[in-house]
Amino acid sequence: MTMAVRLTLLSLLLLAASGGSKLWEYEGHHMIGLVAAEQLPEDVPAFFRAAAEELAWLNYEPDRWKDRRERDLDPAVYRATAPEHYVNLELVPDDARETTDRLAYLEALQRAQVETPPGFLPFAILELTQRVRIGFRLWRRAEGSERVWLERRIINDAGILGHFVADAANPLHTSIHYNGWVGDNPDGYATDSDTHQRVEGTYVRSHIQVDRVRELVRPATRRVDLREAIWHYIQDSHRRVETLYQLDREEPFGRETGGPAHETFILVQLAGGASMLRDLWWTAWVTSASED
Protein backbone atom coordinates (compact mmCIF):
# COMPACT_ATOMS: atom_id res chain seq x y z
CA MET A 1 0.00 0.00 0.00
CA THR A 2 1.46 3.33 -1.05
CA MET A 3 1.94 6.25 1.34
CA ALA A 4 -0.68 8.24 -0.62
CA VAL A 5 -3.28 5.53 -0.11
CA ARG A 6 -2.39 5.27 3.59
CA LEU A 7 -2.90 9.00 4.01
CA THR A 8 -6.20 8.86 2.16
CA LEU A 9 -7.39 6.00 4.37
CA LEU A 10 -6.35 7.83 7.50
CA SER A 11 -8.23 10.95 6.45
CA LEU A 12 -11.36 8.89 5.75
CA LEU A 13 -11.12 7.16 9.12
CA LEU A 14 -10.78 10.50 10.86
CA LEU A 15 -13.84 11.73 8.98
CA ALA A 16 -15.79 8.71 10.20
CA ALA A 17 -14.64 9.33 13.77
CA SER A 18 -15.72 12.95 13.57
CA GLY A 19 -19.27 11.95 12.65
CA GLY A 20 -18.88 13.19 9.08
CA SER A 21 -20.83 10.21 7.73
CA LYS A 22 -23.98 8.81 9.29
CA LEU A 23 -24.29 5.06 9.13
CA TRP A 24 -27.53 3.72 7.54
CA GLU A 25 -28.90 6.93 9.05
CA TYR A 26 -31.95 6.63 11.28
CA GLU A 27 -34.31 4.97 8.81
CA GLY A 28 -32.18 1.93 8.00
CA HIS A 29 -31.25 1.36 11.63
CA HIS A 30 -34.85 1.67 12.76
CA MET A 31 -36.06 -0.81 10.13
CA ILE A 32 -33.48 -3.43 11.06
CA GLY A 33 -34.22 -3.14 14.78
CA LEU A 34 -37.99 -3.19 14.33
CA VAL A 35 -38.12 -6.13 11.92
CA ALA A 36 -35.71 -8.17 14.05
CA ALA A 37 -37.86 -7.64 17.14
CA GLU A 38 -41.06 -8.49 15.30
CA GLN A 39 -39.62 -11.81 14.14
CA LEU A 40 -38.62 -13.19 17.55
CA PRO A 41 -40.00 -16.58 18.62
CA GLU A 42 -42.66 -16.58 21.32
CA ASP A 43 -40.27 -18.34 23.71
CA VAL A 44 -38.39 -15.05 24.18
CA PRO A 45 -39.66 -13.30 27.34
CA ALA A 46 -42.73 -11.13 26.84
CA PHE A 47 -41.02 -7.98 28.15
CA PHE A 48 -38.45 -8.23 25.37
CA ARG A 49 -40.93 -8.92 22.57
CA ALA A 50 -43.09 -6.02 23.79
CA ALA A 51 -40.13 -3.64 23.43
CA ALA A 52 -40.00 -3.72 19.60
CA GLU A 53 -40.38 0.03 19.14
CA GLU A 54 -37.84 0.79 21.87
CA LEU A 55 -35.35 -1.68 20.41
CA ALA A 56 -35.83 -0.05 16.99
CA TRP A 57 -35.28 3.43 18.45
CA LEU A 58 -32.17 2.30 20.35
CA ASN A 59 -30.68 0.85 17.17
CA TYR A 60 -29.50 4.32 16.22
CA GLU A 61 -28.15 5.18 19.69
CA PRO A 62 -24.36 4.88 19.10
CA ASP A 63 -24.62 7.46 16.32
CA ARG A 64 -26.23 9.86 18.80
CA TRP A 65 -23.01 9.65 20.81
CA LYS A 66 -21.33 11.58 18.00
CA ASP A 67 -23.08 14.73 19.23
CA ARG A 68 -21.04 17.62 17.91
CA ARG A 69 -21.57 19.79 20.98
CA GLU A 70 -20.22 17.03 23.21
CA ARG A 71 -17.28 16.53 20.86
CA ASP A 72 -16.44 20.20 21.16
CA LEU A 73 -16.53 19.94 24.95
CA ASP A 74 -14.50 16.72 25.07
CA PRO A 75 -13.96 14.26 22.19
CA ALA A 76 -13.31 11.22 24.41
CA VAL A 77 -16.51 9.26 23.90
CA TYR A 78 -16.73 9.32 20.13
CA ARG A 79 -13.01 8.89 19.58
CA ALA A 80 -13.19 5.78 21.73
CA THR A 81 -16.34 4.36 20.14
CA ALA A 82 -15.94 5.37 16.47
CA PRO A 83 -13.75 2.33 15.56
CA GLU A 84 -16.55 0.04 16.73
CA HIS A 85 -18.66 1.01 13.72
CA TYR A 86 -16.43 -0.59 11.08
CA VAL A 87 -13.76 -3.13 10.28
CA ASN A 88 -11.59 -2.75 7.19
CA LEU A 89 -11.15 -6.42 6.39
CA GLU A 90 -8.51 -5.75 3.74
CA LEU A 91 -6.20 -4.67 6.60
CA VAL A 92 -6.95 -7.51 9.05
CA PRO A 93 -4.46 -10.42 8.91
CA ASP A 94 -5.80 -13.95 9.23
CA ASP A 95 -4.38 -14.59 12.69
CA ALA A 96 -6.03 -11.41 14.02
CA ARG A 97 -9.42 -12.79 13.00
CA GLU A 98 -8.84 -15.77 15.28
CA THR A 99 -8.07 -13.79 18.42
CA THR A 100 -10.27 -14.07 21.50
CA ASP A 101 -10.59 -10.41 22.51
CA ARG A 102 -9.69 -6.83 21.63
CA LEU A 103 -6.33 -6.83 23.36
CA ALA A 104 -5.20 -10.01 21.61
CA TYR A 105 -6.53 -8.55 18.35
CA LEU A 106 -4.44 -5.39 18.83
CA GLU A 107 -1.37 -7.48 19.62
CA ALA A 108 -1.86 -9.47 16.40
CA LEU A 109 -2.20 -6.25 14.41
CA GLN A 110 0.96 -4.92 15.98
CA ARG A 111 2.87 -8.09 15.11
CA ALA A 112 1.65 -7.78 11.52
CA GLN A 113 2.71 -4.11 11.48
CA VAL A 114 -0.74 -2.93 10.45
CA GLU A 115 -0.38 0.85 10.33
CA THR A 116 -3.97 1.96 9.72
CA PRO A 117 -6.48 1.08 12.47
CA PRO A 118 -8.88 -1.48 10.95
CA GLY A 119 -11.74 -1.13 13.45
CA PHE A 120 -13.41 -3.22 16.15
CA LEU A 121 -16.84 -4.02 14.68
CA PRO A 122 -16.70 -7.82 15.24
CA PHE A 123 -15.79 -7.34 18.89
CA ALA A 124 -18.48 -4.72 19.46
CA ILE A 125 -21.06 -7.25 18.25
CA LEU A 126 -19.61 -10.14 20.25
CA GLU A 127 -19.18 -8.23 23.51
CA LEU A 128 -22.67 -6.73 23.44
CA THR A 129 -24.23 -10.12 22.69
CA GLN A 130 -22.44 -11.46 25.74
CA ARG A 131 -23.79 -8.59 27.83
CA VAL A 132 -27.32 -9.40 26.69
CA ARG A 133 -26.78 -13.06 27.58
CA ILE A 134 -25.48 -12.16 31.03
CA GLY A 135 -28.53 -9.98 31.55
CA PHE A 136 -30.88 -12.79 30.57
CA ARG A 137 -29.03 -15.22 32.85
CA LEU A 138 -29.43 -12.89 35.81
CA TRP A 139 -33.06 -12.17 34.89
CA ARG A 140 -33.97 -15.87 34.99
CA ARG A 141 -33.32 -16.03 38.73
CA ALA A 142 -34.14 -12.45 39.73
CA GLU A 143 -37.31 -11.38 41.52
CA GLY A 144 -39.27 -8.21 42.18
CA SER A 145 -37.66 -4.86 41.43
CA GLU A 146 -34.36 -6.46 40.48
CA ARG A 147 -36.03 -8.28 37.61
CA VAL A 148 -37.59 -5.02 36.35
CA TRP A 149 -34.22 -3.26 36.50
CA LEU A 150 -32.59 -6.10 34.59
CA GLU A 151 -35.26 -5.86 31.91
CA ARG A 152 -34.35 -2.23 31.32
CA ARG A 153 -30.66 -3.10 31.10
CA ILE A 154 -31.24 -6.02 28.74
CA ILE A 155 -33.32 -3.91 26.36
CA ASN A 156 -30.73 -1.13 26.35
CA ASP A 157 -27.83 -3.49 25.64
CA ALA A 158 -29.83 -5.37 23.01
CA GLY A 159 -30.83 -2.16 21.25
CA ILE A 160 -27.26 -0.91 21.11
CA LEU A 161 -26.07 -4.32 19.90
CA GLY A 162 -28.51 -3.86 17.04
CA HIS A 163 -26.70 -0.76 15.87
CA PHE A 164 -23.46 -2.58 15.17
CA VAL A 165 -25.20 -5.54 13.56
CA ALA A 166 -26.95 -3.04 11.29
CA ASP A 167 -23.66 -1.32 10.49
CA ALA A 168 -22.15 -4.63 9.38
CA ALA A 169 -25.11 -5.19 7.05
CA ASN A 170 -23.76 -2.36 4.92
CA PRO A 171 -20.73 -3.65 2.96
CA LEU A 172 -19.16 -0.18 3.15
CA HIS A 173 -18.61 -0.71 6.90
CA THR A 174 -16.39 -3.68 6.20
CA SER A 175 -13.97 -2.09 3.75
CA ILE A 176 -11.33 0.56 3.18
CA HIS A 177 -13.63 1.71 0.37
CA TYR A 178 -16.14 2.95 2.95
CA ASN A 179 -16.85 6.32 1.28
CA GLY A 180 -15.64 6.20 -2.30
CA TRP A 181 -13.13 3.83 -3.90
CA VAL A 182 -9.59 4.20 -2.55
CA GLY A 183 -6.35 3.59 -4.47
CA ASP A 184 -6.12 1.92 -7.89
CA ASN A 185 -9.45 2.18 -9.66
CA PRO A 186 -9.26 0.51 -13.09
CA ASP A 187 -13.02 -0.16 -13.14
CA GLY A 188 -13.96 3.48 -12.65
CA TYR A 189 -15.89 3.20 -9.40
CA ALA A 190 -17.18 6.28 -7.60
CA THR A 191 -14.59 8.16 -5.58
CA ASP A 192 -16.80 10.95 -4.28
CA SER A 193 -17.01 11.45 -0.53
CA ASP A 194 -20.82 11.39 -0.76
CA THR A 195 -20.97 7.70 -1.66
CA HIS A 196 -21.84 6.57 1.86
CA GLN A 197 -24.49 9.24 2.28
CA ARG A 198 -26.07 8.54 -1.10
CA VAL A 199 -26.40 4.83 -0.37
CA GLU A 200 -27.41 4.85 3.30
CA GLY A 201 -29.25 8.11 3.56
CA THR A 202 -30.75 9.50 0.37
CA TYR A 203 -31.48 6.18 -1.32
CA VAL A 204 -32.91 4.38 1.72
CA ARG A 205 -35.17 7.31 2.65
CA SER A 206 -36.55 7.69 -0.86
CA HIS A 207 -36.86 4.05 -1.94
CA ILE A 208 -37.07 1.54 0.92
CA GLN A 209 -40.24 0.61 2.83
CA VAL A 210 -40.13 -1.54 5.95
CA ASP A 211 -42.78 -3.94 4.59
CA ARG A 212 -40.39 -4.93 1.79
CA VAL A 213 -37.68 -5.69 4.35
CA ARG A 214 -40.10 -7.88 6.32
CA GLU A 215 -40.80 -9.94 3.21
CA LEU A 216 -37.16 -10.92 2.83
CA VAL A 217 -36.24 -11.81 6.42
CA ARG A 218 -35.09 -15.41 6.78
CA PRO A 219 -38.10 -17.23 8.30
CA ALA A 220 -36.30 -19.70 10.57
CA THR A 221 -34.62 -18.36 13.71
CA ARG A 222 -31.23 -19.98 14.31
CA ARG A 223 -29.08 -20.55 17.37
CA VAL A 224 -25.55 -19.66 16.26
CA ASP A 225 -21.97 -20.06 17.37
CA LEU A 226 -21.27 -16.43 18.19
CA ARG A 227 -17.69 -15.98 17.02
CA GLU A 228 -18.05 -18.03 13.87
CA ALA A 229 -21.39 -16.48 12.94
CA ILE A 230 -20.24 -12.89 13.52
CA TRP A 231 -17.11 -13.22 11.40
CA HIS A 232 -19.01 -15.08 8.67
CA TYR A 233 -21.69 -12.39 8.63
CA ILE A 234 -19.14 -9.59 8.28
CA GLN A 235 -17.13 -11.44 5.64
CA ASP A 236 -20.30 -12.17 3.68
CA SER A 237 -21.15 -8.47 3.71
CA HIS A 238 -17.61 -7.63 2.64
CA ARG A 239 -17.92 -9.85 -0.43
CA ARG A 240 -20.63 -7.50 -1.70
CA VAL A 241 -18.51 -4.33 -1.62
CA GLU A 242 -17.62 -4.44 -5.28
CA THR A 243 -21.18 -5.34 -6.30
CA LEU A 244 -22.37 -2.18 -4.57
CA TYR A 245 -19.83 -0.09 -6.47
CA GLN A 246 -20.74 -1.79 -9.75
CA LEU A 247 -24.40 -0.92 -9.23
CA ASP A 248 -23.45 2.63 -8.34
CA ARG A 249 -21.36 2.93 -11.50
CA GLU A 250 -24.27 1.75 -13.64
CA GLU A 251 -26.63 4.22 -11.99
CA PRO A 252 -25.57 6.24 -8.93
CA PHE A 253 -27.52 5.60 -5.76
CA GLY A 254 -29.71 8.61 -4.99
CA ARG A 255 -33.19 10.02 -4.91
CA GLU A 256 -33.86 9.45 -8.63
CA THR A 257 -32.35 5.97 -8.94
CA GLY A 258 -34.70 3.66 -10.80
CA GLY A 259 -32.76 0.41 -11.17
CA PRO A 260 -34.55 -2.57 -9.57
CA ALA A 261 -31.20 -4.26 -8.86
CA HIS A 262 -30.27 -1.35 -6.59
CA GLU A 263 -33.43 -1.79 -4.54
CA THR A 264 -33.00 -5.55 -4.31
CA PHE A 265 -29.42 -5.17 -3.15
CA ILE A 266 -30.30 -2.78 -0.31
CA LEU A 267 -33.39 -4.77 0.72
CA VAL A 268 -31.34 -7.97 0.95
CA GLN A 269 -28.72 -6.27 3.11
CA LEU A 270 -31.32 -4.76 5.47
CA ALA A 271 -33.21 -8.05 5.75
CA GLY A 272 -29.95 -9.91 6.36
CA GLY A 273 -29.13 -7.50 9.16
CA ALA A 274 -32.55 -8.01 10.75
CA SER A 275 -32.20 -11.80 10.48
CA MET A 276 -28.76 -11.74 12.08
CA LEU A 277 -29.85 -9.46 14.90
CA ARG A 278 -32.88 -11.63 15.68
CA ASP A 279 -30.64 -14.73 15.74
CA LEU A 280 -28.14 -13.09 18.09
CA TRP A 281 -30.90 -12.02 20.49
CA TRP A 282 -32.37 -15.52 20.34
CA THR A 283 -28.98 -17.16 20.89
CA ALA A 284 -28.31 -14.92 23.89
CA TRP A 285 -31.66 -15.94 25.38
CA VAL A 286 -31.52 -19.71 24.86
CA THR A 287 -27.86 -20.06 25.85
CA SER A 288 -28.42 -18.03 29.01
CA ALA A 289 -30.22 -21.05 30.45
CA SER A 290 -27.07 -23.17 30.39
CA GLU A 291 -25.28 -23.82 33.67
CA ASP A 292 -22.13 -25.04 31.91
Side-chain angles (χ1 to χ4, degrees):
M1 186 181 298
T2 67
M3 181 59 70
V5 171
R6 288 195 184 104
L7 290 173
T8 301
L9 284 172
L10 183 57
S11 67
L12 291 174
L13 291 170
L14 289 173
L15 176 63
S18 68
S21 177
K22 296 181 179 180
L23 315 175
W24 274 133
E25 294 210 348
Y26 180 76
E27 292 80 7
H29 278 287
H30 188 273
M31 282 189 274
I32 286 175
L34 181 63
V35 173
E38 291 173 343
Q39 300 294 324
L40 284 165
E42 291 187 3
D43 289 348
V44 174
F47 82 85
F48 195 87
R49 288 184 284 111
E53 286 292 346
E54 184 176 0
L55 288 164
W57 184 85
L58 283 167
N59 198 288
Y60 190 66
E61 186 69 3
D63 279 349
R64 298 186 182 104
W65 301 341
K66 297 177 181 180
D67 182 275
R68 186 172 297 275
R69 289 169 296 178
E70 187 64 26
R71 182 192 65 187
D72 292 341
L73 289 170
D74 190 320
V77 68
Y78 81 78
R79 284 191 183 276
T81 59
E84 296 183 333
H85 294 263
Y86 62 86
V87 59
N88 297 325
L89 284 184
E90 298 93 342
L91 305 179
V92 180
D94 290 341
D95 63 335
R97 302 183 190 197
E98 299 172 359
T99 53
T100 58
D101 55 68
R102 292 191 193 213
L103 291 178
Y105 174 72
L106 286 171
E107 290 169 357
L109 295 173
Q110 186 176 27
R111 288 194 301 272
Q113 298 182 326
V114 176
E115 299 180 20
T116 304
F120 294 106
L121 182 56
F123 293 98
I125 296 172
L126 174 61
E127 293 159 8
L128 280 159
T129 306
Q130 289 185 277
R131 286 177 58 166
V132 174
R133 178 162 58 190
I134 292 167
F136 277 136
R137 186 178 296 126
L138 295 171
W139 180 87
R140 286 177 182 275
R141 57 177 182 263
E143 298 178 355
S145 296
E146 183 179 348
R147 175 168 271 209
V148 175
W149 298 335
L150 281 165
E151 290 173 1
R152 301 269 60 80
R153 197 186 87 189
I154 291 166
I155 291 169
N156 188 71
D157 286 343
I160 292 172
L161 162 63
H163 180 92
F164 299 108
V165 177
D167 277 353
N170 181 351
L172 298 177
H173 286 248
T174 71
S175 174
I176 61 174
H177 308 293
Y178 108 97
N179 197 21
W181 197 264
V182 175
D184 294 339
N185 189 13
D187 295 307
Y189 298 141
T191 59
D192 62 279
S193 59
D194 292 327
T195 303
H196 214 112
Q197 164 64 25
R198 289 191 290 101
V199 173
E200 290 195 340
T202 305
Y203 185 82
V204 171
R205 277 196 304 274
S206 57
H207 288 76
I208 304 301
Q209 300 297 320
V210 69
D211 286 344
R212 298 294 309 283
V213 179
R214 289 189 182 101
E215 293 170 0
L216 294 176
V217 171
R218 188 178 62 250
T221 304
R222 301 185 301 190
R223 172 177 167 172
V224 300
D225 176 276
L226 293 183
R227 291 177 184 275
E228 179 181 354
I230 290 166
W231 276 105
H232 177 79
Y233 170 65
I234 291 173
Q235 289 167 332
D236 191 55
S237 183
H238 180 72
R239 283 191 284 270
R240 294 178 168 88
V241 171
E242 195 153 2
T243 301
L244 186 154
Y245 275 97
Q246 289 167 351
L247 288 168
D248 190 65
R249 181 186 59 194
E250 293 169 9
E251 182 182 7
F253 282 94
R255 193 179 310 279
E256 306 301 325
T257 308
H262 293 64
E263 182 181 28
T264 298
F265 182 90
I266 297 300
L267 285 169
V268 167
Q269 296 308 116
L270 290 167
S275 299
M276 179 63 171
L277 179 55
R278 175 202 59 195
D279 290 352
L280 290 175
W281 286 339
W282 169 245
T283 298
W285 164 243
V286 296
T287 59
S288 71
S290 173
E291 298 299 328
D292 297 339

